[in-house]
Amino acid sequence: MSAESVQALLECSVTELTVRFVTQAQPVPQGLLEALEADPRQGAQALARRLRSRQEKNRAEGQRLRHLLKFETELWEQGLLKVAGVDEAGMAPLAGPVVAAAAILPRGYKLKGLDDSKKILDPDKREALAEALKRDVVAWAVGRAEVEEIDSINIYHAGLLAMRRAVEGLGLTPDYVLVDARTIPQCPAPQRGIIKGDSLSLSIAAASVLAKTTRDRLMAELDAQYPGYGLAAHKGYPTAQHVQAIQARGVLPIHRRSFGPVREALGLAQPSGPVPMQSELFAATPVPMAKR
């Protein structure tokens, strides 16, 4: 932008400039920040600090997203463009299915704010990210393992089954699959399990958001079907409120009968063998990535 144009902007009020470059988030012309910093008006200098801070945050976010694409970038550079991230939601709850999602991001894709769904505490923000992903990704799908399957084959294997169904639901065969912490039996493509992958891979983070939001909506629907258990609030997790509701109101068809609090409410004996801690359900040996 020319010096004359910057000067013309400086003739605007600070309020006008704030609306334009903060509220409307228009691109800041080259030279304007320096001019605002030299402006004797305190409001102009405060606006310059605000815009500088936003620029720094945007740069930091860009660096974070580039770091989260390191696994994908290595695969893209090998010509493996259809990289699917896979994650699940709902391993620990006492009620409802386990839901997995698979997502294939466009090469170099970055979505501001995208992260492991457990780090995104605002439900509205998770939903907005999920909608953006559904609009932007090459392909996405969800898979479920129902309560009966969880009780039949155990939660660990049910989670893997949901993951496989998510990959199979993509409508195309991925070139490679990145999985949070595990490897998927009968996966139709080469894969790698990444410990804490939802915090290290943007594709897995995308899948985690899609799985979480899908399951949360399902639990809200089940709450309407089975009022009084608080399913929309705790999403089926073993909170004190949920356990008390089971004891007071009884066990529902959507409760997992292989889980301790549900078995106790039914008067069933607990399993005689050791029950693995939830963290142990996620142990897996990473599969090496293809060599260049």
Side-chain angles (χ1 to χ4, degrees), residues 151-188:
D151 290 337
S152 174
I153 63 176
N154 77 41
I155 183 60
Y156 176 69
H157 291 100
L160 294 174
L161 178 60
M163 286 180 165
R164 193 185 79 201
R165 287 170 173 167
V167 174
E168 292 173 345
L170 286 170
L172 54 84
T173 301
D175 296 323
Y176 207 93
V177 176
L178 300 175
V179 191
D180 182 37
R182 284 154 286 181
T183 54
I184 303 171
Q186 302 174 15
C187 185

Side-chain angles (χ1 to χ4, degrees), residues 91 155-156 181-182 274-284:
M91 296 287 280
I155 183 60
Y156 176 69
R182 284 154 286 181
V275 178
M277 297 295 292
Q278 188 67 20
S279 60
E280 294 176 353
L281 296 176
F282 294 86

Side-chain angles (χ1 to χ4, degrees), residues 89-157:
M91 296 287 280
L94 305 178
V98 58
V99 176
I104 299 177
L105 305 183
R107 183 171 184 172
Y109 179 76
K110 300 180 183 69
L111 176 60
K112 185 177 180 181
L114 180 58
D115 208 339
D116 170 15
S117 63
K118 295 186 289 297
K119 297 179 181 178
I120 305 170
L121 303 182
D122 183 351
D124 291 336
K125 182 178 179 180
R126 284 197 303 264
E127 282 290 346
L129 289 168
E131 290 307 309
L133 288 168
K134 292 174 184 178
R135 180 187 65 241
D136 297 341
V137 298
V138 174
W140 70 278
V142 295
R144 294 167 47 165
E146 304 299 335
V147 170
E148 296 79 8
E149 293 173 311
I150 293 170
D151 290 337
S152 174
I153 63 176
N154 77 41
I155 183 60
Y156 176 69
H157 291 100

Side-chain angles (χ1 to χ4, degrees), residues 260-289:
V262 179
R263 295 183 67 83
E264 182 178 349
L266 290 170
L268 299 175
Q270 298 299 327
S272 56
V275 178
M277 297 295 292
Q278 188 67 20
S279 60
E280 294 176 353
L281 296 176
F282 294 86
T285 302
V287 175
M289 295 179 69

Side-chain angles (χ1 to χ4, degrees), residues 8-81:
L9 284 172
L10 291 177
E11 293 174 2
C12 297
S13 70
V14 173
T15 299
E16 290 176 303
L17 294 174
T18 300
V19 169
R20 183 168 177 175
F21 298 112
V22 176
T23 306
Q24 298 178 353
Q26 294 184 20
V28 178
Q30 186 176 0
L32 180 61
L33 275 176
E34 293 79 4
L36 287 172
E37 289 168 337
D39 194 305
R41 293 175 293 177
Q42 290 187 352
Q45 294 174 18
L47 176 59
R49 290 192 295 271
R50 189 172 180 180
L51 294 175
R52 287 275 187 204
S53 175
R54 187 179 70 186
Q55 282 187 345
E56 291 171 1
K57 289 180 180 177
N58 287 340
R59 280 196 293 269
E61 176 67 358
Q63 291 174 352
R64 184 187 71 86
L65 292 173
R66 282 193 295 274
H67 179 72
L68 287 177
L69 285 173
K70 62 181 180 181
F71 294 103
E72 290 85 348
T73 299
E74 182 171 348
L75 292 164
W76 290 332
E77 290 176 350
Q78 297 175 42
L80 304 173
L81 301 184

